[in-house]
């Protein structure tokens, strides 16, 4: 299966629709450069685990943030709103595996599902885990993730069994070791996350048009002030700022495809003024749209796209 190309498409609840792997083998492996393209806010039913191979990544899970440096890693539980971006440096790369729980748990009436997967997915104190090599079981988890990823890439005979074995080892380690959290998210935090999921989906569906903060708030049936509170409390940025960032991220995708002019890309992404688009792009990415396209156009492979 080698490395996969991931397109982050979501439904009306903000759930990712992209298929990771196949129905027969529901796992996909990725190699991302977060300075080339951040992973936007989204969620999926699959479990996700990764290892940072270069630089430092910011892992955002709901309203929590942690930094994962080279050699460290992460686990993201099913249904959890999350995003990732690079910090401090020219490059930030990580290996990750996104897999459906049934890959290691089988059917819901199996002993594997009942003893390991169901308790893990139902643990509200374990929305995520920051793996640090100095912690013995964390080191074993990192080794399992890396071994599964390498097997996916190499595709040696029996690699599918090896991938399942290593991800099963990861699930076992997660199930038998205590969570780092002391309490689950509050009812208010879970409600806010649900609202933000709906508002993110509205933005993703309407970013090309002239939507306002009032429109975003209305998509979740809340006031503008409540919308602002939910965004700031859950993902740490106002809705207007997130909208601008999302539009720039989409512009990166269009520029890399190298099929439109710069002004056309700006219009496709909701920037009707070409000079404002260029100014905003430079402020966000540190280069002009043309410079970005020259660097990444037709050269992307194995990463994630919006």
């Amino acid at each position: 299966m080698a490395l996969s190309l991931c397109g982050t498409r979501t439904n009306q609840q903000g759930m990712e629709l992209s298929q990771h792997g196949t129905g027969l083998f529901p796992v996909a492996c990725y190699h991302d450069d977060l300075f080339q393209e951040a992973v936007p806010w989204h969620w999926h039913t699959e479990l996700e685990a990764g290892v940072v191979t270069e630089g430092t990544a910011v892992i955002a899970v709901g309203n929590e943030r942690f930094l994962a440096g080279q050699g460290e890693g992460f686990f993201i539980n099913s249904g959890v709103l999350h995003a990732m971006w690079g910090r401090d440096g020219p490059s930030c790369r990580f290996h990750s595996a996104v897999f459906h729980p049934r890959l290691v748990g089988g059917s819901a009436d199996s002993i594997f599902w009942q003893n390991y997967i169901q308790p893990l997915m139902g643990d509200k104190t374990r929305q995520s885990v920051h793996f640090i090599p100095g912690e013995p079981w964390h080191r074993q988890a990192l080794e399992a993730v890396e071994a599964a990823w390498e097997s996916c890439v190499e595709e040696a005979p029996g690699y599918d069994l090896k991938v399942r074995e290593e991800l099963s080892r990861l699930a076992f380690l997660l199930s038998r070791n205590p969570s780092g959290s002391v309490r689950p998210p509050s009812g208010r935090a879970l409600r806010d996350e649900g609202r933000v999921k709906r508002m993110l989906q509205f933005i993703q569906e309407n970013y090309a048009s002239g939507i306002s903060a009032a429109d975003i708030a209305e998509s979740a049936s809340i006031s503008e002030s409540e919308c602002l509170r939910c965004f700031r409390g859950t993902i740490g940025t106002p809705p207007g700022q997130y909208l601008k960032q999302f539009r720039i991220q989409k512009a990166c995708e269009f520029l890399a495809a190298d099929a439109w002019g710069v002004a056309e890309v700006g219009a496709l992404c909701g920037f009707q003024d070409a000079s404002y688009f260029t100014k905003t792009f430079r402020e966000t990415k540190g280069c002009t749209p043309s410079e970005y396209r020259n660097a990444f156009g037709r050269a992307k492979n194995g990463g994630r796209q919006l």
Side-chain angles (χ1 to χ4, degrees):
M1 66 182 298
L3 294 182
S4 302
L5 183 66
C6 176
T8 308
R9 298 180 301 107
T10 60
N11 66 10
Q12 292 184 354
Q13 288 74 46
M15 175 183 174
E16 186 180 9
L17 298 175
S18 304
Q19 181 173 339
H20 300 283
T22 67
L24 292 176
F25 191 49
V27 58
C29 292
Y30 305 99
H31 181 64
D32 296 79
D33 185 342
L34 292 176
F35 275 102
Q36 178 176 331
E37 186 171 349
V39 177
W41 286 97
H42 69 290
W43 65 281
H44 43 66
T45 57
E46 291 86 356
L47 306 172
E48 181 170 359
V51 179
V52 177
T53 60
E54 183 180 342
T56 300
V58 180
I59 314 297
V61 182
N63 57 7
E64 301 293 330
R65 307 284 187 276
F66 61 85
L67 298 178
Q70 184 174 341
E72 300 179 0
F74 60 89
F75 167 76
I76 307 293
N77 213 333
S78 173
V80 175
L81 185 66
H82 62 283
M84 305 173 197
W85 57 90
R87 173 178 170 173
D88 300 336
S91 181
C92 178
R93 301 177 184 274
F94 71 95
H95 297 162
S96 64
V98 183
F99 60 101
H100 196 282
R102 71 171 181 271
L103 177 70
V104 298
S107 63
D109 59 355
S110 74
I111 191 172
F112 309 108
W113 187 279
Q114 294 179 12
N115 285 356
Y116 306 106
I117 299 302
Q118 184 175 355
L120 175 60
M121 293 174 60
D123 186 357
K124 298 302 183 183
T125 69
R126 182 157 293 191
Q127 291 194 312
S128 66
V129 178
H130 178 193
F131 294 134
I132 302 173
E135 178 73 24
W137 81 267
H138 284 196
R139 184 172 62 253
Q140 295 174 42
L142 289 165
E143 291 170 353
V145 175
E146 191 68 13
W149 188 88
E150 290 178 355
S151 295
C152 274
V153 174
E154 294 171 359
E155 292 189 315
Y159 83 96
D160 46 356
L161 291 174
K162 178 65 173 177
V163 171
R164 186 183 187 192
E165 174 190 351
E166 295 297 342
L167 294 178
S168 295
R169 180 156 71 105
L170 173 65
F172 172 70
L173 289 167
L174 287 164
S175 66
R176 73 170 298 187
N177 289 283
S179 170
S181 302
V182 296
R183 59 185 180 185
S186 65
R188 181 177 184 178
L190 291 174
R191 181 198 62 193
D192 289 350
E193 182 173 313
R195 289 171 168 176
V196 170
K197 286 178 178 178
R198 293 194 296 274
M199 290 187 285
L200 291 182
Q201 176 59 22
F202 175 79
I203 290 172
Q204 291 164 15
E205 291 179 341
N206 298 278
Y207 69 91
S209 60
I211 58 176
S212 65
D215 297 324
I216 296 171
E218 185 179 355
S219 70
S221 302
I222 57 177
S223 67
E224 288 187 54
S225 60
E226 188 70 358
C227 167
L228 180 61
R229 185 192 65 78
C230 287
F231 260 84
R232 282 181 169 167
T234 302
I235 65 176
T237 187
Q241 181 67 20
Y242 174 85
L243 174 61
K244 182 166 66 174
Q245 293 171 348
F246 185 83
R247 284 170 166 166
I248 293 298
Q249 202 67 36
K250 285 297 293 184
C252 290
E253 176 189 344
F254 289 129
L255 289 167
D258 203 15
W260 300 272
V262 170
E264 291 177 291
V265 169
L268 286 170
C269 297
F271 295 97
Q272 300 307 316
D273 185 307
S275 60
Y276 177 67
F277 168 55
T278 298
K279 177 177 179 292
T280 304
F281 194 96
R282 185 194 291 274
E283 290 174 347
T284 304
K285 292 294 183 180
C287 63
T288 67
S290 296
E291 290 169 343
Y292 183 92
R293 182 168 55 193
N294 291 337
F296 300 114
R298 302 187 183 279
K300 299 175 66 176
N301 60 82
R304 303 184 187 214
Q305 291 187 328
L306 289 173

